[in-house]
Amino acid sequence: MRRFFRQGHYVKMLLIFSVLLFFSDTAQAAQPLVLEIPSVIYANRGTIRLSEIARITGGNRRTREILANVQVWNDGETLDRRDVMNAIEDSDLSDVRLENRMPLSSRVERPDYEGNFTESARQRSVSEFVPILREMSGWNGGLEISANAPVPDGTLIDPTSLVPGTSSVTLRFRDEAGRVRPLNVRLTWSQNVVFAAKNIKRGDRITRENVFTRPMNIKRPGQYPSSIGEVMGFTSERNIKQGEPVELSALTSSATLKRGRQVRVIARYNGASASTDGVLLEDGKPGDWVRVRKADDRRVTLRARIIDENTVEVNAE
């Protein structure tokens, strides 16, 4: 461990985040990758990327991106499930659990049509993409999208994943002629946040009487508790004025977390995040730095700060 930390701050950040990404991929391996292709698809003859005709969910970001870029050859009036599965088996996803929600055969049509899972640009607004982006990001809170230009013709092909809290992103659409058109959009994320119902002094214990919740726009998920149950019994480490949001970093618990306790390990770097299940290797309280390892792997240990009774965070930034 000492040798690991002597390799330099920048290298340390990248290695920590890479380890947590590995953890995340492993932890999500049990979740099947879901491929949805409708009974009627709209595409030109030739090679088709699955992202052009399918909705891809589940798995993790890496497997979704690989599946989105799988190419299937189409030279007829139908696209068979067997052809799709053969193309997937030839990719890097041969060992991934896949749930293919596709009929045995999908009809291929080529009229004037601008998408598969989307409406024509003449009939749709950017707000219709809110459910898609929320699903990409795994976000359970609110999301608003705004744009200064019309939605282009075509099918949304990029991005395939999104980090909650991202303030802007470029959506890319491919039309029936194969042209890719971008649309820059601004994103506003919101969630329920715990606020102080009255002045809370340093050392005060949080109770149901001195806090309440209401929606608030946020830039960094994980900064604020979203329910009163998350803060019950914790103690404030600073004064919080009435009406101010309560930050998780301002709370502490008198309870000591014992070695061997299972926790969620989170790492963030450059706006991205990764998480996995871990096990504490040392006793500690919220705010303490302790050693932690992956729940089912004793080979890799990291130092992490205890955030609450169920969460630790690796400082990868």
Side-chain angles (χ1 to χ4, degrees), residues 94-310:
S94 56
D95 296 328
V96 174
R97 289 180 57 202
L98 176 69
E99 183 178 332
N100 188 348
R101 299 177 183 174
M102 175 188 177
L104 292 178
S105 181
S106 294
R107 188 171 77 251
V108 180
E109 295 189 358
R110 299 171 182 85
D112 293 332
Y113 185 86
E114 285 81 12
N116 290 289
F117 281 102
T118 57
E119 298 286 339
S120 166
R122 294 181 293 275
Q123 302 174 354
R124 59 186 176 176
S125 67
V126 70
S127 62
E128 296 177 18
F129 294 92
V130 167
I132 297 175
L133 298 190
R134 289 179 74 239
E135 186 175 4
M136 284 182 186
S137 61
W139 180 244
N140 295 321
L143 174 61
E144 295 181 5
I145 308 178
S146 60
N148 295 325
V151 178
D153 291 351
T155 304
L156 178 65
I157 61 171
D158 190 66
T160 57
S161 63
L162 190 63
V163 177
T166 302
S167 60
S168 62
V169 69
T170 299
L171 306 180
R172 290 182 172 83
F173 300 83
R174 177 179 285 115
D175 65 19
E176 60 181 5
R179 295 179 298 243
V180 176
R181 301 182 184 275
L183 175 66
N184 296 323
V185 299
R186 295 193 61 81
L187 306 176
T188 303
W189 308 78
S190 62
Q191 68 172 71
N192 278 336
V193 171
V194 176
F195 285 80
K198 58 182 70 174
N199 290 337
I200 300 175
K201 297 180 180 179
R202 180 178 180 180
D204 284 354
R205 191 175 181 84
I206 304 297
T207 65
R208 292 189 178 275
E209 289 71 31
N210 58 16
V211 291
F212 68 97
T213 62
R214 73 171 182 223
M216 187 180 83
N217 294 343
I218 58 100
K219 294 183 178 180
R220 182 182 177 186
Q223 184 176 2
Y224 303 100
S226 59
S227 67
I228 293 178
E230 291 182 57
V231 300
M232 285 292 294
F234 280 74
T235 300
S236 178
E237 291 188 322
R238 63 175 178 84
N239 295 332
I240 305 174
K241 294 181 180 179
Q242 180 181 3
E244 283 187 348
V246 177
E247 296 188 19
L248 288 169
S249 60
L251 304 178
T252 186
S253 172
S254 57
T256 299
L257 280 65
K258 297 296 185 180
R259 175 182 178 180
R261 182 185 181 90
Q262 290 203 353
V263 292
R264 194 67 180 166
V265 184
I266 298 175
R268 296 183 176 90
Y269 183 72
N270 279 352
S273 63
S275 64
T276 188
D277 292 329
V279 176
L280 294 182
L281 299 179
E282 299 173 331
D283 295 348
K285 298 180 179 179
D288 292 345
W289 286 87
V290 295
R291 290 185 303 125
V292 63
R293 67 166 174 83
K294 188 172 178 291
D296 58 357
D297 192 337
R298 298 177 178 272
R299 295 172 298 176
V300 180
T301 62
L302 298 170
R303 288 195 64 80
R305 181 175 180 268
I306 299 176
I307 303 300
D308 56 39
E309 296 181 356
N310 301 304

